[in-house]
Amino acid sequence: MSHDTVAQNQSRCQLNDDDQVWLFGYGSLIYLVDFPYLESRPASIEGWSRRFWQGSHDHRGTVEHPGRVVTLIEDEGAVCGGMAYLVEAPVFKQLDLREKNGYLRVASEMLFDDGSREIGLTYLATADNEAWLGEASECEIARHICGSEGPSGPNDEYLLELASSLRELGLQDPHVFAIEAHILELKKQQS
Ligand code: SIN
């Protein structure tokens, strides 16, 4: 599968311009909200875990030196917390460009704090996309992130912003927080 998913997203998931659709964000879509939305609410999805296993060629790294960004992996019994946004369908044109490096829009059921549920869309990168990097230890991921940078800025900024927004939402994520601890240690050693 090509790592540029714009055409695939627009052909496999057609929306009408006047549709309003829930988007579930679990990575930079939590803290970098550069798109218009009608409503936002903390939400979670069940059966998925957040992992820094996707490569970034266009935001936090380059084709030659990809950064590491998050995707979701299936994980029975797990719950991944994030933020849901109600957006007007044309906004997905802008989102598809932002998420074009391997992410496909997939239908997902999101659960809100009041127990209500909505079906919406999530950008997900699977192991068959060309930018996929896959599993590594949290220590290796931290070293990789510390050495990466792309057009959207340093890769460690992505991780540190995500960790602090998860904390602000009152969410626990042992994978993200372990990488954060390694990065802060590496930074201490370098200073
Ligand atoms: C997301 O935030 O939901 C997708 C991954 C990213 O853009 O960081």
Side-chain angles (χ1 to χ4, degrees):
M1 196 211 311
S2 159
H3 60 82
D4 185 339
T5 53
V6 171
Q8 285 173 75
N9 276 324
Q10 286 172 10
S11 66
R12 61 186 238 131
C13 185
Q14 285 171 2
L15 300 169
N16 295 319
D17 273 0
D18 52 1
D19 288 343
Q20 295 183 351
V21 184
W22 282 99
L23 163 72
F24 176 75
Y26 55 91
S28 66
L29 289 171
I30 299 178
Y31 63 83
L32 186 62
V33 187
D34 58 357
F35 53 90
Y37 59 91
L38 303 165
E39 193 185 332
S40 72
R41 298 171 72 180
S44 55
I45 55 172
E46 295 168 327
W48 297 93
S49 285
R50 185 174 8 241
R51 290 286 182 270
F52 271 84
W53 291 3
Q54 173 64 3
S56 175
H57 296 172
D58 57 345
H59 285 298
R60 302 296 179 160
T62 60
V63 177
E64 294 75 29
H65 300 287
R68 271 191 182 259
V69 290
V70 284
T71 185
L72 293 174
I73 54 143
E74 285 193 83
D75 189 2
E76 210 185 316
V79 176
C80 177
M83 190 60 93
Y85 306 89
L86 183 63
V87 301
E88 291 179 323
V91 174
F92 280 97
K93 292 196 183 88
Q94 171 185 343
L95 290 167
D96 285 350
L97 278 178
R98 169 173 163 168
E99 303 297 325
K100 69 181 187 314
N101 194 203
Y103 292 91
L104 291 175
R105 282 191 233 145
V106 297
S108 60
E109 185 185 59
M110 52 204 85
L111 172 65
F112 298 113
D113 290 351
D114 64 3
S116 62
R117 291 169 188 267
E118 290 281 354
I119 301 287
L121 293 172
T122 304
Y123 284 94
L124 186 72
T126 52
D128 57 358
N129 82 87
E130 285 176 12
W132 179 260
L133 292 175
E135 189 167 3
S137 73
E138 281 143 359
C139 182
E140 283 172 283
I141 292 176
R143 286 186 186 283
H144 184 145
I145 286 175
C146 279
S148 303
E149 176 152 17
S152 298
N155 203 173
D156 64 348
E157 181 185 75
Y158 176 107
L159 180 126
L160 296 172
E161 295 236 21
L162 176 59
S164 86
S165 39
L166 293 178
R167 243 179 236 109
E168 271 169 38
L169 287 167
L171 296 170
Q172 290 297 326
D173 190 318
H175 174 73
V176 174
F177 293 161
I179 299 168
E180 180 194 35
H182 285 301
I183 288 181
L184 294 176
E185 190 53 41
L186 286 167
K187 280 178 172 289
K188 215 194 297 171
Q189 287 166 14
Q190 282 159 10
S191 65

